[in-house]
Amino acid sequence: MENSIDWNSLAFQYMKTDYNVRCYYKDGKWGELEVSSDENLHIHMASTCLHYGQEAFEGMKAFRGKDGKIRVFRMDENAKRLQKTCDGILMAKLPIEKFEEAAIKVIKLNERFVPPYESGCSLYIRPLLIGVSPRVGVNPSTEYLFAMFVMPVGPYFKDGFKSTPVCILRGYDRAAPLGTGTFKVGGNYAASLRPGMIGKEKGYSAVLYLDAKEKKYLDECGPANFFAIKDNKYITPKSTSILPSITNMSLQQLAKDNGMTVEQRQIPEEELATFEEAAECGTAAVISPICRVDDLDLNKTYTFGKEGECGPVCTKLYNQLRAIQYGDAPDTHGWVRIID
Ligand code: PLP
Ligand code: COI
């Protein structure tokens, strides 16, 4: 079948591809990977994922290099994080090898959807793990379904690598300090939908959440971690309610490689006034620089440059990260797996 995809106008949105892979957990063990071209899952209406949020997902990307080869970025880290999420909400843990086998299989089966190098786009891989046992009492499932599907994507924020403003909305929290913020569970995203919509309606690309307890320190954005740059330092929040971002972890390493100091610590909101650059980072967001943070309830504004403009450190880190992902720079940290 011929591809009729316009690679240059891809957005970050669902697209049907040829195949997905699935695996069931029953009688205390994971079964074999199954290949399907059905976009639907057939599950019991009393499944714990539907009622009690026993749902975890992941997000990772594969890139086609100039050499035509497909590279997946740090999928072992996604596999490990999924296991942590499973521990967090009492789901059966998928073995790392099974996760990687599924990723390789689903990428190969959908190879024609991996965007060409020149497009600057990538293949987004969405792993999903859900509890499927029927329960009406609040209890974990004994049966689980793991699925992985893919789609070609462009930038998460429609303008790509351009700075955008974000806002602080003090009337909303994304996750509680000792809640599920460190896990990649759907409930955290449900909590972010209304504030996210309010932020978008007011012209912001995202909401920057504060810590839910003291409303004092920066946490993260709806779909991405936060970092800032000042005095040759890469500064990123330490918090018990944010997702440990694999992109952030990688950027911290690149910052160190560039001779910068990395600080992972609490960041009081007022410190925003002292930063030279600020950005969101994540698999979907890559690095999305922030030109301004508006605290809408306190009527405060922190500016890092003109809308659209990106600072030199963010630009350098962005180029370095992308170069590794597309195979343009040596993979000195062993982050990339070539699919052959
Ligand atoms: N924070 C949240 C809430 C996210 O949804 C994501 C996306 O996965 C991130 C941070 C970034 O994490 P990663 O870099 O592993 O994609
Ligand atoms: C990702 O970056 O992979 C995410 O999961 C973020 C978002 C699309 C929810």
Side-chain angles (χ1 to χ4, degrees):
M1 208 200 296
E2 269 304 297
N3 268 330
S4 55
I5 300 166
D6 179 2
W7 301 111
N8 297 315
S9 58
L10 277 180
F12 190 90
Q13 64 187 23
Y14 181 79
M15 183 190 290
K16 182 182 187 324
T17 53
D18 291 336
Y19 301 102
N20 56 77
V21 295
R22 297 146 186 230
C23 186
Y24 289 89
Y25 182 88
K26 274 186 198 144
D27 303 324
K29 55 180 189 302
W30 288 99
E32 290 303 309
L33 286 179
E34 296 169 19
V35 175
S36 174
S37 50
D38 187 351
E39 289 172 283
N40 298 301
L41 302 173
H42 302 278
I43 58 172
H44 196 289
M45 62 183 167
S47 291
T48 61
C49 64
L50 298 177
H51 299 257
Y52 304 128
Q54 260 203 322
E55 185 271 357
F57 73 101
E58 271 299 329
M60 53 200 196
K61 278 178 174 170
F63 305 83
R64 195 185 290 280
K66 232 182 237 168
D67 53 10
K69 289 184 181 153
I70 300 170
R71 293 167 172 80
V72 200
F73 189 68
R74 305 197 79 170
M75 67 172 163
D76 52 326
E77 292 296 336
N78 292 89
K80 283 192 249 169
R81 190 170 65 189
L82 179 61
Q83 290 198 334
K84 288 199 184 121
T85 299
C86 289
D87 271 338
I89 60 165
L90 293 184
M91 301 206 291
K93 276 195 286 196
L94 185 79
I96 309 250
E97 312 74 58
K98 194 73 120 187
F99 182 100
E100 295 190 341
E101 188 192 338
I104 293 166
K105 196 168 207 129
V106 78
I107 294 166
K108 280 189 177 168
L109 286 167
N110 292 293
E111 209 201 309
R112 72 187 185 95
F113 292 98
V114 184
Y117 171 79
E118 297 72 30
S119 66
C121 295
S122 55
L123 188 77
Y124 186 69
I125 304 154
R126 174 52 66 87
L128 175 75
L129 204 159
I130 56 176
V132 292
S133 304
R135 298 275 185 275
V136 281
V138 182
N139 284 303
S141 283
T142 43
E143 295 188 359
Y144 293 88
L145 166 58
F146 174 70
M148 217 187 255
F149 58 95
V150 299
M151 75 219 70
V153 295
Y156 188 72
F157 297 113
K158 68 175 175 8
D159 297 327
F161 189 65
K162 291 222 175 99
S163 67
T164 56
V166 303
C167 66
I168 294 173
L169 290 172
R170 288 171 170 267
Y172 295 90
D173 294 320
R174 177 187 167 272
L178 300 174
T180 55
T182 56
F183 308 127
K184 206 160 168 60
V185 297
N188 298 336
Y189 298 82
S192 76
L193 287 174
R194 179 165 287 282
M197 182 191 67
I198 294 170
K200 280 204 186 88
E201 281 172 359
K202 291 179 186 288
Y204 297 97
S205 63
V207 173
L208 176 56
Y209 292 91
L210 298 179
D211 77 284
K213 192 173 178 186
E214 295 188 69
K215 293 282 187 189
K216 193 168 177 264
Y217 302 104
L218 304 183
D219 247 3
E220 65 174 332
C221 295
N225 271 186
F226 173 89
F227 73 87
I229 306 294
K230 79 169 164 191
D231 303 332
N232 204 34
K233 285 188 287 202
Y234 178 106
I235 306 166
T236 192
K238 188 180 170 76
S239 163
T240 55
S241 47
I242 65 178
L243 190 75
S245 154
I246 297 158
T247 313
N248 193 354
M249 186 165 60
S250 311
L251 293 174
Q252 289 176 39
Q253 182 61 54
L254 293 178
K256 283 183 199 155
D257 294 350
N258 291 337
M260 299 178 75
T261 306
V262 171
E263 290 181 2
Q264 191 163 20
R265 57 166 169 83
Q266 288 185 314
I267 306 176
E269 182 190 319
E270 307 75 63
E271 197 178 347
L272 283 170
T274 69
F275 293 144
E276 295 152 18
E277 297 178 42
E280 298 173 57
C281 66
T283 298
V286 194
I287 292 179
S288 298
I290 297 170
C291 58
R292 203 175 77 239
V293 178
D294 291 342
D295 184 328
L296 295 177
D297 301 290
L298 298 189
N299 248 324
K300 279 193 185 160
T301 284
Y302 309 91
T303 307
F304 311 104
K306 287 205 194 91
E307 190 157 343
E309 279 178 7
C310 305
V313 179
C314 282
T315 306
K316 185 172 181 183
L317 289 171
Y318 177 86
N319 289 333
Q320 287 177 332
L321 178 69
R322 303 257 299 173
I324 295 171
Q325 292 175 327
Y326 283 94
D328 290 334
D331 175 26
T332 50
H333 297 292
W335 289 343
V336 156
R337 171 91 161 258
I338 296 180
I339 308 291
D340 40 31

